[in-house]
């Protein structure tokens, strides 16, 4: 199985957004309002004539981490009410409304413009992604310091780590150490 599997479509966009930070080793893509603005424009969520400020950056990161928390539910992690409240608030602030598109299909679109609207568009994308069949395959890496979002393509939907070679082995070693105070060399490498 390939490492760090990517989803496509709405699921893929949510995955890409949550993975704008790599927690291990730490690499933050959304470093400042300008990089946020560039990311939103590059992903078709906002017109390039709009800018983003520090408050938008803070808002985007809060929503991103709330989405990470929600996705954790697909990996058996408890979803915290604060994350759900953050997403509800973001939907409200962007004033998501249902509109029927030219194709006759309804979708949620923000009335707010700028970065707040763009973040609302991400929440609408999350809503659409959650209706898709593959939603439950979008998971968080179970290695605690990693928490990367990966798409579980395994047949029985049982993958737990974004990368077996690093995260999977690190986690197995950690559990082994927790169980055995003095592990013998060689036993934790499988
Ligand atoms: Zn991982």
């Amino acid at each position: 199985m390939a490492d760090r599997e990517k989803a496509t479509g709405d699921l893929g966009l949510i995955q890409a957004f949550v993975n704008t930070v790599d927690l291990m080793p730490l690499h933050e893509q959304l470093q400042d309002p300008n990089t946020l603005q560039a990311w939103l424009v590059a992903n078709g969520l906002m017109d390039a004539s709009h800018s983003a400020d520090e408050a938008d950056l803070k808002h985007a990161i809060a929503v991103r981490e709330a989405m990470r928390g929600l996705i954790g539910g697909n990996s058996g992690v408890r979803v915290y009410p604060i994350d759900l409240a953050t997403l509800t608030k973001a939907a409200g602030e962007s004033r998501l409304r249902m509109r029927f598109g030219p194709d006759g299909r309804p979708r949620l679109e923000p009335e707010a413009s700028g970065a707040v609207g763009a973040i609302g568009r991400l929440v609408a994308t999350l809503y659409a992604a959650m209706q898709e069949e593959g939603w439950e395959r979008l998971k968080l890496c179970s290695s605690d310091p990693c928490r990367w979002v990966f798409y579980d393509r395994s047949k029985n939907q049982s993958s737990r780590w974004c990368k077996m070679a690093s995260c999977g082995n690190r986690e197995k070693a950690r559990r082994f150490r927790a169980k055995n105070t003095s592990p013998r060399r060689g036993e934790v490498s499988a």
Side-chain angles (χ1 to χ4, degrees), residues 4 141-143 146-148 161-163 166-168 170:
R4 292 199 152 182
C141 178
S142 293
S143 175
C146 177
R147 307 184 81 226
W148 185 261
W161 299 291
C162 74
K163 255 179 167 172
S166 52
C167 292
R170 183 174 53 246

Side-chain angles (χ1 to χ4, degrees), residues 2 8 12-13 24 29 45 74 106 118 133 143 153 158 173 187:
T8 54
L13 180 58
M24 224 192 93
Q29 275 186 54
L45 297 160
N74 292 340
E133 215 174 297
S143 175
R153 291 191 193 278
S158 60
E187 283 191 346

Side-chain angles (χ1 to χ4, degrees), residues 85-165:
T86 298
L87 295 170
T88 299
K89 192 160 164 261
E93 281 173 357
S94 68
R95 304 196 302 280
L96 287 181
R97 296 277 186 273
M98 193 172 76
R99 286 221 173 79
F100 285 82
D103 57 357
R105 298 176 67 85
R107 55 182 140 260
L108 292 171
E109 281 180 11
E111 280 187 352
S113 61
V116 170
I119 292 160
R121 209 160 267 135
L122 277 167
V123 177
T125 303
L126 173 70
Y127 173 78
M130 289 178 83
Q131 316 301 314
E132 286 178 25
E133 215 174 297
W135 164 249
E136 283 169 3
R137 289 184 178 271
L138 200 64
K139 294 182 177 178
L140 280 195
C141 178
S142 293
S143 175
D144 199 36
C146 177
R147 307 184 81 226
W148 185 261
V149 179
F150 70 101
Y151 191 72
D152 182 2
R153 291 191 193 278
S154 67
K155 230 180 211 164
N156 52 0
Q157 219 172 303
S158 60
S159 293
R160 301 186 53 203
W161 299 291
C162 74
K163 255 179 167 172
M164 190 59 203

